[in-house]
Amino acid sequence: MKYKPSLYKLSNGVSVILDPMDVETAIVSVCFKTGSRDESPEEQGITHFCEHMLGKGTAKFPTKKSIDEYMEMRGGIRNAATGHASIGFGGKILAKNLNALIELIGEQLQNSLFVPEKIEIERKVILNELRQMMDDPDEQLGYFISKTLFNGQTQCYTTLGTLDNIMSFSRQQMIDFLHRRLSANNCIICISGKIIDVDSTLKCLESTFSFLEPKDVPNNTQILYTPSVAHNLKAGKKEIKLRLIIPDIWEQKYENLYAQKCVEKFETFLTKRLFRTLRYEDGLVYELYGTNLGNEKFNWNILSTETNKNNIEQLVAAIAKRCYKFYNENIITDKDLYRLRCGAQLFNADWLESAASRCRTLVSFYYNFNKIYSYEESINMDNAITVDDVVKYSRGYFDGELSVITQGSELDTDLKAVWLENFHS
């Protein structure tokens, strides 16, 4: 599968990435660099509410049903999403009808009606969405982490806002908010898939998105991190959810990509070894996985698992001892690195064949580094990594101040102290 994306600029400054593929469909993503983290306290939830209303009827397509039928008649589907740092609109369609999807997205962004009656219906829908989210144990824990470690700001797990805010948003407030936050300067459009006629596609994009004004839109990229040991009490729960949160040692910069890749190899090795020993030798967990959170400046790495309350001290002690061993004895080998590289090759092959994955990567990479993602450069970096480089660039991995977050029934153990007692030879 070939990979040769190109960058274009519309006359108003909108960034466009075209990623041609030998397939029969096209994925379109229209991303704006503004999200829930950029809202004021009184606005929390308004980006998500606006996203909902931008799909509920326009001058040309007055009902959601008319929008859906238009897409179905052209072999397409549409979607939208609100994140902490972005709001996005897009879809997938038969390549011959690509311009139809582009024009529909532009129509929604420019001419959505925000009918008052539909706003009230959607207000109820979003309130139900918020209640369902707050009933989900994983969402509850994510929200607790947000409030505890990041003061509920840029890392807030929920984009839905608060009950009071959702009830308060007016039609004019939403329209004004979108006019203030959506700009040609913070818009990234990516199309991955079959692009039959590049000139025609660019002409369609030019005419469709010419309404966007080229104005600067400030973003809130500050993260206030407060290392903590905290427990989210959920009475009656037999299992304790555990999150060990470790600050990243490399700032999110283009020049740090190789170092970050080396650290990722260490993290993957660490997580796999921990899982094998904790499950198959100790029987303390059913699963253990690594995730991360952050923004375009910094990341935090998370070890996530859960166990019975009676085993939580033993589990944290076991993790601390093995993390110390894996880190300080440098036990990763060339054979381990080869296995990790093979896994990366499989992931890269899957990625190369997926228009959706390619589109997501191209948008996020351009968002973070203002550059087109280079598949060849990434592969060359992976192939160049040595065991010595993994050790070199992961030095200091555990030097940042650890946060220990738990959720479940009452817990009176100082798990940070347990970690410190066991993180040694």
Side-chain angles (χ1 to χ4, degrees), residues 133-370:
M133 186 210 72
M134 294 311 296
D135 282 341
D136 182 279
D138 289 328
E139 294 285 357
Q140 292 168 0
L141 181 54
Y143 190 63
F144 180 73
I145 290 172
S146 169
K147 291 192 298 181
T148 304
L149 301 187
F150 303 102
N151 195 32
Q153 36 101 241
T154 58
Q155 291 305 313
C156 190
Y157 271 71
T158 175
T159 62
L160 303 185
T162 66
L163 188 149
D164 288 343
N165 280 5
I166 293 168
M167 291 299 299
S168 72
F169 297 139
S170 69
R171 178 181 187 273
Q172 193 59 49
Q173 188 178 359
M174 286 188 277
I175 292 172
D176 291 344
F177 179 81
L178 285 173
H179 180 73
R180 191 171 74 249
R181 299 301 306 179
L182 303 189
S183 161
N185 291 359
N186 71 352
C187 181
I188 304 167
I189 300 175
C190 182
I191 302 175
S192 292
K194 188 171 185 177
I195 304 172
I196 297 172
D197 186 332
V198 170
D199 290 338
S200 172
T201 299
L202 289 172
K203 184 177 180 180
C204 181
L205 289 167
E206 178 70 41
S207 62
T208 300
F209 292 96
S210 61
F211 72 92
L212 288 172
E213 299 176 23
K215 57 191 176 186
D216 291 332
V217 178
N219 294 114
N220 174 23
T221 59
Q222 184 181 23
I223 293 181
L224 303 175
Y225 173 58
T226 306
S228 304
V229 179
H231 182 67
N232 191 30
L233 180 63
K234 295 294 176 184
K237 300 292 183 181
K238 295 180 181 179
E239 298 293 298
I240 299 291
K241 292 181 178 293
L242 173 68
R243 302 292 185 265
L244 299 173
I245 302 172
I246 305 161
D248 205 346
I249 55 179
W250 293 99
E251 190 176 349
Q252 291 284 88
K253 294 181 177 180
Y254 181 76
E255 55 266 33
N256 290 339
L257 285 179
Y258 183 74
Q260 289 175 325
K261 279 183 171 289
C262 292
V263 174
E264 287 170 8
K265 291 288 189 285
F266 169 75
E267 290 173 340
T268 304
F269 169 79
L270 175 71
T271 304
K272 287 179 178 291
R273 289 295 295 269
L274 282 173
F275 173 71
R276 288 173 188 161
T277 54
L278 293 170
R279 178 171 182 177
Y280 297 111
E281 295 178 20
D282 301 334
L284 290 172
V285 301
Y286 175 72
E287 63 179 356
L288 179 142
Y289 54 94
T291 56
N292 67 76
L293 55 85
N295 69 354
E296 59 267 47
K297 288 191 174 182
F298 297 100
N299 264 326
W300 281 260
N301 307 299
I302 309 174
L303 283 174
S304 302
T305 189
E306 61 182 87
T307 194
N308 188 274
K309 177 181 178 179
N310 297 328
N311 296 332
I312 191 66
E313 272 192 67
Q314 183 185 357
L315 173 60
V316 173
I319 293 175
K321 288 177 181 177
R322 290 187 171 92
C323 282
Y324 183 91
K325 179 181 177 67
F326 299 154
Y327 177 71
N328 288 284
E329 296 184 12
N330 302 328
I331 63 173
I332 187 170
T333 66
D334 287 327
K335 187 176 181 180
D336 293 319
L337 191 56
Y338 178 78
R339 282 200 299 267
L340 293 176
R341 187 173 290 124
C342 287
Q345 289 172 350
L346 177 60
F347 173 85
N348 289 331
D350 288 341
W351 178 90
L352 199 60
E353 296 171 358
S354 169
S357 296
R358 284 165 60 150
C359 196
R360 282 194 299 269
T361 299
L362 283 161
V363 169
S364 64
F365 197 87
Y366 192 81
Y367 183 113
N368 288 326
F369 304 116
N370 204 34

